[in-house]
Amino acid sequence: MASSAIPVSRSASCDETGRARTALQALNFFMADMQAGIGPFLGVFLQQRGWTAGPIGTVMSAGGVAGMIMTVPAGAFIDHTEKKRLVVIVTGICTVMASFLILLSQSGWVVTVSQVATAIAGAAIGPAVTGMTLGVVRQRGFNAQNGRNQAWNHAGNMIGAGLSGFLGWKFGMPAIFYLAAAFGVLAIVSVLMIPEQAIDHRAARGLEGDKQDDAGGGQAEGFRTLLRNKPMLILAAALACFHLGNGAMLPLYSLAVVGAGKGNAALFTATTVVVAQAVMIAAALIAMKMSAGKGYWLVLLISFAALPLRGFLAGTFIEHWGVWPVQALDGIGAGLQSVAVPGLVACLLDGTGRVNVGQGAVMTIQGLGASLSPAIGGWIAQAFGYHAAFLILGSFALASLALWIGFAGLLRPACEGKRVENRA
């Protein structure tokens, strides 16, 4: 029975909770490169081996669709299981193994299988880490701890990308795969350092302080909760439009600049990630402070507004130096959302026992846009050129802004963050 799957954890000591918080930050640091792995470098890696923009975008979209399909089942499983640490370990191993497949063969079906497997693993690892965080610090401390987690995650992405660029330049692109494997091992070590007794599995699903466990079906209840929650529906739609434009920006900009002979493949791709992630560190910490004081509405409004400007700059300046403004805007948008979206969903579903199903449901709708973006962007670029592709992709976020501003009267009270506190 579902009710027997999550026993109430005994109270953790302050020392265990402190160790768990530190280990969560280390896990977020190392899992960043483990999750991304060859991801940002995949386009130029395949381009060097004769692939064109359209097929590259298609295989990336195949992975996105697979991840999108799995996010709700993964969230439901995380709600019901007390083996959250094991989920991270298994998915981490699968991610590294899937990436190594591409080293063995760059045939279409091998690359597609690798991307699908990586996306499925990523669909589980995200809710697992979010659930563990909520289980360790509870709703009261989630905003602050999630902000720190995201800052460490972006730092891991930045350092991992920098090392990947250096190793790819010095030893060739295959060296990037080995770096991802090393980060994967360190991520597994980090998750094992989280004391199991420090995780309250009832709090991890949004049932903090509730005496009766909900024995209903996790996935079905999650859908009903989402459909009844109008602010969450608007959030999901706005995120879908945003990621429909945002998802293809980074790989396409790398392809455009490198394809024009204006940058080394490994070093330029690394620079795009390093610049964005450096800005994301600051953006995540700022989002944590803004959410605590003013709620989530303004944070998300700023994040949506960054993409149209980013698309305009990318379409206007396809130059090596363009990476700085283009990717800085990526850092602002993604960094703010990395804190605001999980925090808002956890707040909206507090007390339902379906927090991770809700996280997965929002990620599914959001992933619909992100999964279609590389294919749409890739074929637009192939048919009309990179300049047109960036301008069109950037315009998709105008729909996000229209939704967010148009429904401000409904969204502002839901986003005001009554439960958001800037302390753990």
Side-chain angles (χ1 to χ4, degrees):
M1 293 178 62
S3 59
S4 62
I6 305 180
V8 179
S9 301
R10 71 170 180 80
S11 297
S13 68
C14 292
D15 184 56
E16 288 171 337
T17 301
R19 292 204 309 272
R21 289 175 181 166
T22 301
L24 279 169
Q25 291 166 187
L27 171 61
N28 275 271
F29 180 90
F30 290 116
M31 83 179 216
D33 193 71
M34 180 185 72
Q35 281 183 293
I38 189 65
F41 298 87
L42 178 61
V44 292
F45 178 78
L46 295 176
Q47 186 184 50
Q48 290 178 345
R49 284 150 180 81
W51 287 54
T52 57
I56 289 173
T58 299
V59 297
M60 289 182 173
S61 285
V65 170
M68 176 189 68
I69 293 171
M70 288 302 298
T71 48
V72 170
F77 178 72
I78 296 303
D79 271 337
H80 282 278
T81 185
E82 62 175 345
K83 303 296 184 182
K84 296 176 178 62
R85 299 190 308 164
L86 182 60
V87 170
V88 175
I89 293 170
V90 172
T91 55
I93 293 172
C94 290
T95 299
V96 173
M97 292 179 64
S99 295
F100 273 114
L101 277 177
I102 305 177
L103 279 181
L104 300 177
S105 171
Q106 293 84 51
S107 66
W109 74 268
V110 170
V111 175
T112 302
V113 168
S114 171
Q115 290 303 289
V116 168
T118 300
I120 292 174
I125 200 171
V129 174
T130 299
M132 285 193 296
T133 302
L134 190 56
V136 170
V137 301
R138 317 301 193 269
Q139 183 70 228
R140 180 180 180 181
F142 183 77
N143 180 63
Q145 184 62 45
N146 184 53
R148 289 190 287 268
N149 285 355
Q150 294 304 323
W152 280 97
N153 186 268
H154 298 317
N157 262 317
M158 181 181 69
I159 293 174
L163 289 173
S164 295
F166 172 76
L167 293 174
W169 167 70
K170 189 77 173 175
F171 303 106
M173 295 291 281
I176 299 171
F177 294 93
Y178 295 101
L179 177 67
F183 269 63
V185 172
L186 292 172
I188 291 171
V189 172
S190 298
V191 77
L192 290 173
M193 293 174 62
I194 301 174
E196 175 58 39
Q197 56 269 31
I199 304 172
D200 183 335
H201 294 284
R202 293 175 56 76
R205 66 185 298 189
L207 284 176
E208 182 179 353
D210 196 343
K211 297 294 178 80
Q212 293 292 330
D213 193 11
D214 187 348
Q219 183 173 337
E221 178 65 16
F223 278 120
R224 290 196 299 270
T225 299
L226 176 61
L227 292 174
R228 288 195 300 264
N229 196 309
K230 291 183 179 179
M232 189 172 295
L233 289 173
I234 298 168
L235 171 67
L239 289 171
C241 295
F242 177 88
H243 286 280
L244 184 64
N246 191 68
M249 282 279 189
L250 189 155
L252 278 183
Y253 200 68
S254 295
L255 290 175
V257 174
V258 173
K262 298 179 179 180
N264 172 269
L267 285 179
F268 182 80
T269 304
T271 303
T272 65
V273 179
V274 169
V275 172
Q277 296 297 330
V279 176
M280 285 181 199
I281 296 172
L285 296 175
I286 291 171
M288 179 182 74
K289 297 292 185 181
M290 288 180 63
S291 299
K294 299 182 179 180
Y296 297 109
W297 187 84
L298 181 60
V299 176
L300 287 167
L301 178 68
I302 296 171
S303 76
F304 295 143
L307 182 57
L309 180 57
R310 184 186 180 209
F312 172 77
L313 291 176
T316 305
F317 305 106
I318 300 181
E319 301 288 344
H320 186 275
W321 58 264
V323 67
W324 296 96
V326 169
Q327 288 305 97
L329 287 167
D330 182 36
I332 292 172
L336 295 177
Q337 287 183 17
S338 69
V339 173
V341 173
L344 179 55
V345 172
C347 185
L348 291 173
L349 294 180
D350 187 26
T352 66
R354 297 292 180 254
V355 168
N356 293 296
V357 172
Q359 298 279 4
V362 170
M363 288 171 62
T364 297
I365 305 301
Q366 170 182 324
L368 177 63
S371 63
L372 294 175
S373 184
I376 293 174
W379 289 111
I380 290 175
Q382 190 161 310
F384 304 106
Y386 287 109
H387 294 282
F390 293 128
L391 293 174
I392 293 171
L393 290 172
S395 69
F396 291 151
L398 296 176
S400 302
L401 286 169
L403 285 168
W404 209 245
I405 296 172
F407 289 95
L410 174 65
L411 293 167
R412 279 183 179 272
C415 296
E416 66 184 3
K418 290 182 178 179
R419 297 184 180 90
V420 176
E421 297 190 24
N422 195 32
R423 61 180 183 273

